[in-house]
Amino acid sequence: MRIINRRIPQKVLTVYVAVFVSIVILTAGLSYWSVAVHVKEDLDTTRIDLLKQLGQKVDLVLRGIDKTTLNLVQETEVIRFMEGSLTEDQQKYEVFNNLSNTLRTILDANSILSSIYLYSSENNLIASSSTLEKRSQFFDQEWVDMFHKINDISIWAGPRKVTYNANTSFSINKNIVTLMRSYPLTATGSRKKGAVAANINEEKLNELVRDTNSRLGQVFVMDKSGNVISHQDKEQLYLNVGRIWLGDNFDQIQIQQFGQWDIQIDGSNGRIYYYTSPYTGWIFMNFMPDEKEDKQLGVIRNILLSVALGMVVFAVIAALMLSNRFYRPMQQALRSISMQLKGDADSSPTEIYGNLDYLEKRFSQVLTDNRTMNQQLRDSKPVMKWSLLMDLLMGNRTSYFVEKPLFDFLDIRLFSSHFIVMVAEFDKPVELGSERDAQLYTYGLCNMAEEYMNGAGKGASIQLELGKAAFIMSFEDENATGNIVTALSIGELIRSSVESYFNKSVSIGLSRHTDNMRGLKQAYLESLEALKYKLVLGMNMVLSIEDLKIPSSESTIKIFATREGVAEALREGNANKTEQLFDELLNKAVQENIPPETMKQLCVQVLVESLSEALELNVDVSEITKKHGDLYQTINTSQELAEIRAYSKNILFELNRLILEKRSSRSKNEAFPKILDYIHDNYKRSDLSLNLIAEKFDFSVSYLSRLFKEQMECNFLEYLIGIRVKTAQELLTGTSMKINEIAEEVGYTNSYSFNRIFKKHTGMTPSEYKEHNS
């Protein structure tokens, strides 16, 4: 039927166009509103997650410094500095010399630290890596007053201004953030005997924060009171912008760990995102102006407007084509466009102008495109399923009833409550073969898990990476104990089936029971934590987080404290003792069920301390570092405790070999025997010092000190004290001299100092030693 023979009233065309345009505008508006809401929610979630990652990264660095100060406070020389009465210059020199070396080693190992102070209220002294001064004469003593005012055993405080080299024309002002830890470790109030202060330059802290500026923009840090701790603009430091910007809403931030607020700053509307660190209480903030967010939505808005405009144009063209008056000109225009876009040059004028076949062809094309789109949607279902399950595990989706239509569309079978999460990992990924083979093994593992889970309840699986998958299992009954037993049985079925059918071993981590989807994120993290324990408990096992005994921090500290014996045995050159002590240390850590990450850190510290011990003996360890590579990375990526044990013992064995070779090939300085003779002849002099001997033999103090360490493997004071103590032992048992007379005889003018040093080296006071050996 020819269109030119049909008559369509003008009013009908007008109504048709008006209704069509209204529908298009309404659809485009609703689509934009729906998309904008989801995009804004995704932007909010992403920015908060980035702030969390940034805060956790900063916390990791600060916790490392905290552990360093914790170990420092337990050092023998620090305890001696804090509690001993340092009344003589010789005592002060001896203590400072040892402390200075210790502090320099810590500062060299940690680039973010700018300085470390030790304060002893007993002696009213402050020590750093380069100076030992009375508190009143120390250039930076403000922190001591702050320390006495706090009741906590440790606190991160700052920033504060510190002026360096204040007596010169080159004074430098720095903003410092300080960790203050009391001594003893658990002392508060009047029981404090001293403190350790670890200082970080605010610039270094800001460098950590600026690492993600390309994604977040400007990020700054505030304390609990709203004062700015770190900011790229240094004029903002010390300002209380939290109360200024948020007013009473700032108190809400103290309650909620993370979130966002709509605020106005300097006339600019926007949204502030925040994350509060549970470790330091610091608040990480990021401001996003509305115009920046609108710019991100502008592309979506332009696309929808273009589509709506195109549909409106199409409606008008369609109406005009049905009109007798415009039929032929519009058909000619349509044919011209079709020839350019579709290459439809073979269509005859009769085919276009004489019937509706041409329009029918176009509608057929639309239907074909629709079928193609549906096929693409079906093909993308695995990706959509993966994305949805990952959102559940990451806590981005928490409502079962909101997600239920999507579950049905993607064929995900889950009950509305009572969940347990499992994470399975092939123990030796390298044995899976090529990437394609690993993909097939992981796919088979997921299918096997879903089959077993759906036989006892409902479940879904997701591939995390090659050789690693997560399983979400749900139950109809609320019996938590029974559900955990069922999940353990299914885990054993999966493990044994993988071993039987694939001839591979797999380890499975099992979470606790959670009643709703909001707990899936925590359950996922628990299953990952349980899986880590395969390093300690062995592979090819089902590891439940409820069965793992988490050790107390006190037992962990005790184990770490015993690691020093390995380095001491190494210094003695006793390879068997070194290996035995290292094995005992690891076995004790396994018995106490130390977490795998802590176990790896323990091994790293033992090796680092052993390497440091070798360096102090002037042993060249470059051969070991080149041969064994980055020890931290090697240990951190190991999957088996036996592998870590063998790697560490190999390094300790080679260190012992190098130390013995160094001692056997060491050449003696010609003048050194004369120096030793001079010390043995003059040890009774109370003024005998390294300076006096250096002047006597025309050596520099630094060279003589280094020569002592190289030849005798100890410093001058240790050697001199050893001679004096040995002579005092002989006088105590072989003569009737009084203790104060013996003290003067061996070079001590103060019997108190003699008693203290004698007890430190023998474990007994002079009186006890004399009584015990008489």
Side-chain angles (χ1 to χ4, degrees), residues 465-517:
E465 55 189 67
L466 292 180
K468 191 173 185 179
F471 315 133
I472 302 175
M473 188 171 185
S474 61
F475 302 88
E476 190 172 10
D477 299 330
E478 61 180 17
N479 182 4
T481 303
N483 293 341
I484 290 177
V485 172
T486 302
L488 282 169
S489 301
I490 291 174
E492 286 293 340
L493 278 174
I494 296 172
R495 185 195 62 77
S496 60
S497 297
V498 168
E499 191 172 19
S500 300
Y501 296 118
F502 296 161
N503 196 25
K504 307 290 182 186
S505 68
V506 65
S507 297
I508 301 174
L510 193 73
S511 74
R512 294 184 177 87
H513 186 275
T514 180
D515 291 331
N516 51 59
M517 279 190 171

Side-chain angles (χ1 to χ4, degrees), residues 398-642:
T398 58
S399 174
Y400 174 84
F401 298 102
V402 171
E403 310 301 339
K404 184 62 167 63
L406 196 53
F407 288 163
D408 295 338
F409 174 72
L410 297 175
D411 299 325
I412 296 176
R413 300 179 59 193
L414 291 174
F415 288 112
S416 60
S417 57
H418 314 307
F419 300 94
I420 291 176
V421 176
M422 291 183 281
V423 175
E425 181 180 44
F426 284 98
D427 291 326
K428 298 181 179 180
V430 294
E431 296 181 357
L432 298 181
S434 64
E435 182 175 335
R436 181 176 178 275
D437 292 339
Q439 183 78 31
L440 292 175
Y441 276 118
T442 310
Y443 180 76
L445 175 64
C446 291
N447 286 344
M448 184 185 298
E450 286 195 357
E451 181 179 347
Y452 288 137
M453 289 189 295
N454 289 326
K458 290 183 178 181
S461 63
I462 176 177
Q463 176 180 315
L464 300 175
E465 55 189 67
L466 292 180
K468 191 173 185 179
F471 315 133
I472 302 175
M473 188 171 185
S474 61
F475 302 88
E476 190 172 10
D477 299 330
E478 61 180 17
N479 182 4
T481 303
N483 293 341
I484 290 177
V485 172
T486 302
L488 282 169
S489 301
I490 291 174
E492 286 293 340
L493 278 174
I494 296 172
R495 185 195 62 77
S496 60
S497 297
V498 168
E499 191 172 19
S500 300
Y501 296 118
F502 296 161
N503 196 25
K504 307 290 182 186
S505 68
V506 65
S507 297
I508 301 174
L510 193 73
S511 74
R512 294 184 177 87
H513 186 275
T514 180
D515 291 331
N516 51 59
M517 279 190 171
R518 277 188 288 273
L520 282 178
K521 180 179 180 180
Q522 180 61 31
Y524 174 56
L525 297 176
E526 290 174 351
S527 61
L528 289 174
E529 183 65 23
L531 187 61
K532 292 179 182 178
Y533 275 80
K534 74 178 183 178
L535 176 76
V536 180
L537 302 179
M539 297 181 177
N540 200 23
M541 296 179 61
V542 179
L543 307 166
S544 174
I545 192 70
E546 289 196 336
D547 296 336
L548 299 177
K549 176 185 175 184
I550 308 301
S552 65
S553 58
E554 182 179 353
S555 62
T556 303
I557 292 174
K558 287 181 178 179
I559 291 176
F560 268 76
T562 61
R563 72 185 189 277
E564 297 175 355
V566 177
E568 292 175 359
L570 184 69
R571 185 184 185 95
E572 296 171 2
N574 191 331
N576 293 331
K577 183 178 179 182
T578 302
E579 181 178 353
Q580 179 184 353
L581 290 176
F582 182 73
D583 281 333
E584 291 176 357
L585 179 65
L586 284 192
N587 294 338
K588 182 64 175 177
V590 172
Q591 292 174 6
E592 293 293 335
N593 206 22
I594 297 299
E597 297 303 324
T598 308
M599 184 88 70
K600 293 178 179 179
Q601 183 184 9
L602 175 62
C603 292
V604 170
Q605 288 197 14
V606 169
L607 293 182
V608 169
E609 290 172 359
S610 299
L611 287 168
S612 299
E613 194 73 34
L615 287 172
E616 286 187 6
L617 299 177
N618 292 322
V619 174
D620 184 7
V621 299
S622 59
E623 173 186 342
I624 294 178
T625 55
K626 289 179 181 178
K627 178 179 178 181
H628 296 279
D630 188 339
L631 64 90
Y632 175 80
Q633 183 178 3
T634 302
I635 292 178
N636 194 47
T637 55
S638 297
Q639 298 294 320
E640 298 184 62
L641 184 59

